Amino acid sequence: MPFNSTGSFRGGKPLWFVLTCCSLFLAACAGETLPPQPELPRFEPGACPSSVPTSIPATCGALVVAADRAQPDRGELRLTVIVFPSLAEAPAPDPVVYLAGGPGVHVLESAIELLTTYASFLQTRDLILLDQRGVGVSWPSLDCPEDFERALELASRDLDDDSFLEQTLAAREACRTRLVAEGAQLNAFHSAASAADLEDLRIVLGIEQWNLFGVSYGSRLALTALRDHPQGVRSVILDSVYPPQVDLVADTPVNAQRALEVLFDGCQADLQCRLTFPDFEADFYALVEKLNERPIFVPIFHPVSGEALSVSIDGDDLVGLYFEALYEVPKIRLLPRLVHDIEAESYQALSGLIRDSLQRYQFVSEGMNRSVQCFEEIGFSKPEAVDAGAQGVHPAVRPYFDRLARLAFATCEMWGAGAAGAVENQPVTSDIPALILSGEYDPITPPAWGALAAETLPNAFVFELTGLGHGVVRSSNCGQLLALAFIDDPSRPPDASCLDSLGPPLFAIR
């Protein structure tokens, strides 16, 4: 029985189907016709998600694939896909495929926002969006509402680390238990499987080659596709690069420290910021220590219901909020002022950061995130590597990331995602043209990771964008110009003159 390159059968029935037919031998001999078995992979056209108004041209449907290509009898997955057609009369034949980060970030719930953000691609090419396996409106979706409910509950209490970890881990275990009871195969969700899904989608849509545009974890998925299925890839844009050879758990504390220092230096280099907040760095660390001794309670509105709540914020929480805020330029601008506001018991900006942090649970399929990270990332790290990597981190910053690492290791011990082979911890080597973009302030995927990825991508063009955080194409005209120029001709360096117009964030003084 011949396999095609994706692991499905061509010209014959799968073994599991043949074995099933044996049990129906008498019925078949009596002349009854067995229903035809649908082939995998396949694309089933269908209605667009409710997030896409009917007035917007789009082709929607589901890519149906085997949950486990090595054992196709373990069931199917359905990945929801939207193709937005190009505005060109004669579009280029190679569309752009957007690969979201997380892992697990929902795409199709915010399809129109993404369409608006990346509309410039439509001038020449179709734009393809999808919720990856286990994500969003794809089926099954490995969402963990237990996480959100427990996070809201714990936010109102001032807990020590051990109690926080115990309660958070209990919520994660409850999610795992429910997902397994519902039939989810937690070891079927990882980058190699998602890269194979992409290749299946390209084939069933009849596309010879396309361009992969991956942001954050999406860049890791794009690199995996380069490694496993290079024949269908014309070019890749790697925005805020997450290469497989890094140690995310061990590197995150020092990467966060680097971004904080960029922030402190940025304020010092800005005359108004320096004059208004002359001791910003020292004041920040002093506030972290003060809040760890005496937490504050901050009023917020529930991210979903809108009801008034009060949440506890200690120094470690503040470190986490600064870390998350460094992703986005509008929030970066607030950070020097935020220390002053908290000291003055003015909590409006802080309340917004807290609410946004809690709201992210609504837009990430946390179960998929854990399956991917436990399978191919955290399993390659060790607590001693985390300790060694954090030696240069400020003592006021380190406890927050130590807690994250402890939680990550404990989660993976019980999650049951399996363990990847060594290839998932090795650099990806490819001659396919790549555009690598990094933001100066990015706290999680620093510019050094872009340079690291480029070492084994000889046809890569590498740029660091001043004053930007995580996801530079989304947040800057210059990032979009670089991406468009590269897509038009990946063989040549894009015009990078727009880099000269970039500058530091305009910090909020009042």
Side-chain angles (χ1 to χ4, degrees):
M1 295 181 187
F3 282 95
N4 74 353
S5 62
T6 64
S8 59
F9 282 84
R10 302 289 187 186
K13 296 297 183 185
L15 180 59
W16 67 264
F17 179 70
V18 174
L19 293 176
T20 303
C21 284
C22 291
S23 67
L24 300 174
F25 180 77
L26 293 177
C29 289
E32 294 184 19
T33 302
L34 293 172
Q37 299 300 303
E39 188 179 67
L40 295 178
R42 65 183 184 273
F43 185 77
E44 297 180 352
C48 289
S50 59
S51 59
V52 181
T54 56
S55 59
I56 294 181
T59 298
C60 301
L63 172 70
V64 186
V65 297
D68 183 347
R69 289 173 173 83
Q71 301 180 64
D73 59 331
R74 293 183 69 191
E76 299 176 351
L77 303 179
R78 302 176 65 85
L79 281 62
T80 306
V81 179
I82 303 176
V83 181
F84 290 109
S86 172
L87 302 175
E89 291 186 8
D94 44 277
V96 174
V97 186
Y98 174 77
L99 305 177
V105 168
H106 299 179
V107 169
L108 301 190
E109 286 178 319
S110 56
I112 299 307
E113 178 184 346
L114 289 169
L115 177 64
T116 302
T117 301
Y118 303 121
S120 52
F121 287 122
L122 295 179
Q123 298 300 322
T124 55
R125 287 168 172 79
D126 294 349
L127 176 64
I128 300 176
L129 307 181
L130 75 156
D131 274 341
Q132 299 160 25
R133 60 167 52 203
V135 174
V137 296
S138 290
W139 182 90
S141 182
L142 304 191
D143 288 348
C144 284
E146 296 89 347
D147 288 17
F148 180 57
E149 293 162 5
R150 187 60 55 88
L152 280 172
E153 175 190 341
L154 298 183
S156 64
R157 300 158 59 190
D158 178 27
L159 298 177
D160 60 61
D161 275 1
D162 288 342
S163 298
F164 174 85
L165 291 170
E166 180 183 357
Q167 293 291 320
T168 302
L169 193 62
R172 294 184 174 192
E173 190 163 11
C175 178
R176 180 196 181 279
T177 299
R178 176 183 54 78
L179 290 173
V180 171
E182 292 171 355
Q185 302 160 36
L186 299 181
N187 62 352
F189 300 86
H190 48 78
S191 296
S194 288
D197 294 338
L198 289 172
E199 178 67 356
D200 283 347
L201 179 62
R202 184 186 68 82
I203 291 170
V204 298
L205 294 182
I207 297 169
E208 183 175 351
Q209 283 193 319
W210 56 17
N211 307 282
L212 301 179
F213 169 30
V215 181
S216 191
Y217 165 73
S219 70
R220 171 88 163 240
L221 177 53
L223 286 167
T224 305
L226 277 190
R227 182 193 71 204
D228 294 351
H229 307 283
Q231 64 277 5
V233 182
R234 173 178 176 265
S235 73
V236 294
I237 300 173
L238 307 176
D239 182 348
S240 306
V241 190
Y242 175 21
Q245 66 266 40
V246 301
D247 186 334
L248 179 69
V249 187
D251 291 352
T252 292
V254 71
N255 289 339
Q257 181 71 52
R258 181 207 68 87
L260 283 171
E261 290 170 1
V262 171
L263 173 66
F264 300 143
D265 291 345
C267 181
Q268 280 295 304
D270 180 287
L271 178 59
Q272 284 191 311
C273 191
R274 182 173 73 249
L275 292 175
T276 308
F277 311 111
D279 301 313
F280 171 38
E281 180 175 359
D283 291 345
F284 170 76
Y285 289 128
L287 180 59
V288 171
E289 293 176 359
K290 177 181 176 180
L291 293 180
N292 274 332
E293 293 175 3
R294 183 177 296 177
I296 57 176
F297 285 85
V298 180
I300 70 164
F301 292 104
H302 190 289
V304 178
S305 69
E307 68 176 301
L309 302 172
S310 179
V311 301
S312 172
I313 297 295
D314 63 16
D316 294 343
D317 296 325
L318 186 68
V319 170
L321 290 170
Y322 265 70
F323 175 71
E324 293 178 10
L326 284 162
Y327 279 55
E328 302 177 43
V329 173
K331 294 177 180 177
I332 292 172
R333 293 170 177 161
L334 301 174
L335 295 180
R337 175 79 193 183
L338 187 62
V339 172
H340 174 274
D341 287 349
I342 294 171
E343 291 284 17
E345 299 184 5
S346 175
Y347 299 144
Q348 182 176 357
L350 180 61
S351 177
L353 295 180
I354 297 167
R355 185 176 184 274
D356 287 351
S357 180
L358 290 169
Q359 195 169 34
R360 73 177 177 83
Y361 289 100
Q362 302 296 109
F363 301 103
V364 178
S365 295
E366 293 285 357
M368 182 271 195
N369 179 291
R370 280 167 210 146
S371 283
V372 172
Q373 298 290 49
C374 292
F375 178 78
E376 65 196 47
E377 181 60 51
I378 295 167
F380 290 106
S381 188
K382 297 287 187 290
E384 50 268 29
V386 177
D387 291 339
Q391 291 304 309
V393 175
H394 194 285
V397 169
R398 181 170 174 174
Y400 171 77
F401 294 100
D402 285 345
R403 183 172 69 185
L404 287 187
R406 288 178 59 195
L407 184 58
F409 289 127
T411 298
C412 291
E413 284 181 8
M414 64 83 179
W415 193 255
V423 68
E424 298 299 346
N425 198 38
Q426 296 170 355
V428 171
T429 300
S430 174
D431 292 331
I432 291 173
L435 176 66
I436 295 178
L437 304 173
S438 302
E440 178 189 19
Y441 280 73
D442 191 337
I444 186 72
T445 57
W449 283 9
L452 183 66
E455 290 178 2
T456 52
L457 301 173
N459 292 320
F461 307 110
V462 184
F463 300 97
E464 178 180 341
L465 280 74
T466 301
L468 299 182
H470 193 69
V472 299
V473 177
R474 178 191 69 238
S475 55
S476 75
N477 289 332
C478 186
Q480 294 217 3
L481 290 172
L482 289 168
L484 290 172
F486 171 76
I487 286 285
D488 284 344
D489 186 355
S491 66
R492 299 176 58 187
D495 178 1
S497 58
C498 65
L499 294 173
D500 297 334
S501 66
L502 297 175
L506 183 61
F507 292 110
I509 305 302
R510 297 180 178 83

